Amino acid sequence: MLLDHFKSNSTLFNIFCACLTVWLIKHLINFINRLRKLPSGPWGLPIVGYLPFIKKHAYIQMTELAKKYGPVFSFKCGQCDVVVINEVKAIEEAFKNDHLLARPNTTFIPGFKRASSLLEMSGEPWKQQRRVALTILRNVGFGKLTLEEKVKQEINMFIDSLKSANGAAVDFGEVIKLSVANNISILLFGHGFEYTGSVINNIEYFSKFMFMPSIKFFVFLAAQFNSELKKVTSNQKELEEKITVEVIKHKEKKATHEIEDYIDGYLQEMDKQKDSNTSFNMDTLRRNTADFYAAGADTTTLVLNHMMLYLITYPEYQQKIREEIKQTIGFERQPDYEDRTSMPFTMAFIYETLRIATITPLNLHRRSAQDTKVMNYFIPKDSIVIFNFWAVHRDPNLWNDPHLFKPERFLNDDGTKAVKSPNLIPFSGGKRVCPGANFAMTELFLYLVSILQNFQVSAPKGDKISHEVVYAFNRILKKPLKVHFHILSL
């Protein structure tokens, strides 16, 4: 009967109303001030903000909005302020800003409760996990010839599997993902898998829901009835269950004290820190391994898919690369990654594939740990920050004919050297740069050269070559890529 008490005491009721009014005015003023400081951008609806207006290919929409509102713009999306950075100089400045290293406080897969992985962590736990991960991966092979030799062995088996097709059309996406998965498996598990038994799963992140953490419960309920959302969580659970089996095997052989892979190194670090309160635990090990696996296998596979698409679309480039193979390596010796310095057009072809495909057009979302600025644009604390790499890679001020596939743009004037432009940022940058960037480049070069060293590739006769993509965090070719691998007769 609190309301009756207020009614019987008009003075107390008036004081309550005055306090409520002051509180509302204060919060309204704070809201308006925050809004005025933010970069300009499109308006949305109450509560949900601009969320209902985000289109399927959000990166293209963000690029168009930048033309209207400027290179850095913002909008309200659910509970979050979202700041989108579309211009290369602003992105480079943001890479150097330590206040923009944090991740959102929600998981990348909504409604799926789990420990945070290295990709999702912020602050000191992220620094510790990243430092240890880089040390382990470097010790077990990153950047070493021994790892390159293992990749070359895997590529040998891959080439043999293509030869066994006897010229029949092959679903390139299916066979390449199994081979690439084995390379990252060697780093993480210490061994590869049979092509029929790979643990690879495509993990699709539905990042739209990250903007509204309060509806995660409803998203989780929806996942029980929506086949696509259900697939996301089931794939992740299946992958982590298989990783658990691998971890158990590693714990059983731990007595040898030999660090052969990431799991070995992490278990050793857990032992070192078992008496301290750290983020090094079994759940985080599973999460890190799953994310390394998905990121290391999926993205390289998708780039190779696009690379094969451009080889088929522009057969003249096959011949140019093959001429470099003939002059540099020949057709008997397997390529080494160091051969790239003598094969400028081949490297230019890889760079142009990375640019025009832009597999990951928007970064894994960042969060501003405190109020900060980029290029004099104010970014409030806890804003979601998005880098639009697609806008940079298609910026006509940076690239001539940006919508055309032109590897020559990455060659110097006389064509004797491949020049990687600073405007090409396929692996993000700064302290959150992809730790496997060099490994991915090694794979791209070795697979490309090995394929063209052995085959002439083409689409099945009568097939219409499709460049159409679907967008689920990564840009994925919509149609399976059927390819004929004709063994070269030299």
Side-chain angles (χ1 to χ4, degrees):
M1 296 303 165
L2 185 61
L3 186 60
D4 291 337
H5 181 66
F6 274 132
K7 287 179 179 178
S8 63
N9 192 329
S10 59
T11 302
L12 190 59
F13 181 73
N14 290 337
I15 292 173
F16 171 77
C17 289
C19 290
L20 179 62
T21 301
V22 170
W23 182 85
L24 289 171
I25 291 173
K26 179 185 175 183
H27 279 267
L28 182 61
I29 290 172
N30 289 339
F31 173 76
I32 292 171
N33 285 337
R34 183 181 174 98
L35 206 60
R36 287 177 61 189
K37 290 180 181 178
L38 278 163
S40 62
W43 287 84
L45 300 174
I47 302 176
V48 294
Y50 198 67
L51 183 68
F53 305 106
I54 294 178
K55 297 178 181 177
K56 197 169 185 180
H57 291 269
Y59 56 96
I60 296 176
Q61 182 185 14
M62 303 300 174
T63 304
E64 293 302 311
L65 288 171
K67 294 176 182 177
K68 180 177 181 180
Y69 295 104
V72 180
F73 66 86
S74 70
F75 54 85
K76 198 78 174 173
C77 216
Q79 298 162 298
C80 302
D81 292 314
V82 180
V83 177
V84 186
I85 305 177
N86 302 270
E87 194 263 340
V88 67
K89 290 189 183 303
I91 289 177
E92 288 173 351
E93 184 178 314
F95 282 159
K96 300 172 185 175
N97 189 331
D98 284 356
H99 300 319
L100 298 179
L101 289 173
R103 291 295 191 204
N105 293 319
T106 56
T107 58
F108 290 137
I109 299 181
F112 188 54
K113 296 183 76 173
R114 57 186 185 175
S116 293
S117 72
L118 168 62
L119 293 184
E120 298 167 311
M121 288 178 176
S122 305
E124 194 57 34
W126 166 71
K127 291 178 183 177
Q128 293 173 356
Q129 292 284 337
R130 181 180 175 85
R131 175 182 52 78
V132 169
L134 290 175
T135 300
I136 295 170
L137 293 174
R138 189 162 46 244
N139 290 341
V140 300
F142 256 15
K144 293 185 178 179
L145 289 176
T146 50
L147 179 61
E148 183 177 330
E149 286 303 316
K150 290 179 180 179
V151 172
K152 288 163 65 175
Q153 290 172 17
E154 170 58 39
I155 291 176
N156 262 338
M157 291 188 287
F158 172 70
I159 294 297
D160 286 344
S161 73
L162 294 180
K163 287 180 178 178
S164 68
N166 294 318
V170 171
D171 185 337
F172 183 72
E174 284 299 309
V175 294
I176 193 64
K177 77 177 182 181
L178 300 175
S179 182
V180 171
N182 271 344
N183 296 326
I184 195 67
S185 295
I186 291 167
L187 274 173
L188 299 175
F189 310 127
H191 62 85
F193 295 88
E194 294 294 327
Y195 279 11
T196 55
S198 172
V199 299
I200 189 169
N201 287 289
N202 289 317
I203 307 302
E204 297 176 353
Y205 296 99
F206 289 80
S207 57
K208 207 181 220 191
F209 296 103
M210 290 170 58
F211 295 124
M212 298 190 71
S214 65
I215 67 168
K216 278 168 53 179
F217 173 71
F218 299 102
V219 176
F220 178 73
L221 288 179
Q224 312 310 306
F225 306 100
N226 182 288
S227 60
E228 289 301 317
L229 285 173
K230 204 169 186 178
K231 183 181 177 183
V232 175
T233 55
S234 66
N235 278 356
Q236 182 72 11
K237 288 176 181 176
E238 180 186 351
L239 179 57
E240 291 187 16
E241 285 170 2
K242 291 179 177 178
I243 289 169
T244 300
V245 173
E246 288 290 332
V247 171
I248 292 171
K249 291 178 181 177
H250 281 67
K251 290 181 76 175
E252 290 172 351
K253 65 156 188 163
K254 196 174 62 172
T256 63
H257 296 293
E258 292 182 11
I259 306 301
E260 298 176 353
D261 50 57
Y262 175 72
I263 294 177
D264 280 337
Y266 197 97
L267 289 173
Q268 186 183 79
E269 189 67 27
M270 281 176 56
D271 278 348
K272 288 180 184 177
Q273 302 198 28
K274 62 183 177 182
D275 296 326
S276 58
N277 184 22
T278 72
S279 59
F280 290 88
N281 54 63
M282 200 61 67
D283 286 340
T284 303
L285 170 57
R286 281 192 289 266
R287 290 289 303 109
N288 284 354
T289 307
D291 280 357
F292 280 146
Y293 190 87
D298 282 2
T299 52
T300 302
T301 295
L302 294 175
V303 174
L304 286 166
N305 268 328
H306 281 79
M307 192 177 290
M308 184 57 60
L309 176 66
Y310 301 133
L311 287 173
I312 293 171
T313 305
Y314 308 103
E316 65 272 22
Y317 292 145
Q318 288 188 50
Q319 193 55 40
K320 284 191 174 186
I321 295 172
R322 203 170 283 115
E323 281 299 316
E324 285 193 336
I325 292 172
K326 182 179 179 180
Q327 294 168 13
T328 304
I329 305 169
F331 295 91
E332 299 298 326
R333 173 175 73 83
Q334 247 193 312
D336 298 319
Y337 188 47
E338 66 179 14
D339 291 323
R340 72 192 185 280
T341 57
S342 303
M343 303 179 69
F345 186 82
T346 302
M347 291 305 299
F349 184 89
I350 293 173
Y351 291 149
E352 180 68 345
T353 299
L354 291 169
R355 183 196 70 85
I356 204 163
T358 311
I359 296 302
T360 307
L362 304 175
N363 64 306
L364 283 176
H365 297 173
R366 306 275 188 96
R367 174 177 58 85
S368 52
Q370 65 181 57
D371 290 354
T372 189
K373 284 188 175 182
V374 170
M375 302 284 283
N376 291 320
Y377 291 96
F378 177 68
I379 302 177
K381 181 182 178 181
D382 289 329
S383 296
I384 299 296
V385 181
I386 297 175
F387 303 142
N388 188 351
F389 302 130
W390 175 267
V392 173
H393 289 168
R394 297 300 179 104
D395 187 344
N397 297 313
L398 303 175
W399 316 93
N400 291 325
D401 302 319
H403 297 285
L404 298 182
F405 185 82
K406 295 168 62 175
E408 297 83 0
R409 71 174 83 245
F410 288 101
L411 295 173
N412 64 356
D413 291 340
D414 62 6
T416 59
K417 186 178 180 182
V419 182
K420 182 180 179 294
S421 168
N423 301 319
L424 179 67
I425 41 178
F427 302 106
S428 192
K431 294 178 181 178
R432 282 258 188 198
V433 68
C434 173
N438 289 334
F439 183 57
M441 288 299 296
T442 302
E443 290 182 286
L444 295 177
F445 177 81
L446 294 178
Y447 273 98
L448 171 62
V449 175
S450 296
I451 288 170
L452 293 184
Q453 196 179 34
N454 288 276
F455 304 101
Q456 179 80 30
V457 298
S458 63
K461 191 174 181 179
D463 269 20
K464 185 178 179 181
I465 300 173
S466 173
H467 289 249
E468 192 175 358
V469 300
V470 293
Y471 177 57
F473 183 72
N474 289 320
R475 298 179 71 246
I476 305 165
L477 293 179
K478 187 172 183 179
K479 288 179 61 179
L481 188 61
K482 299 290 185 179
V483 183
H484 280 301
F485 292 89
H486 305 282
I487 299 175
L488 290 176
S489 53
L490 302 172

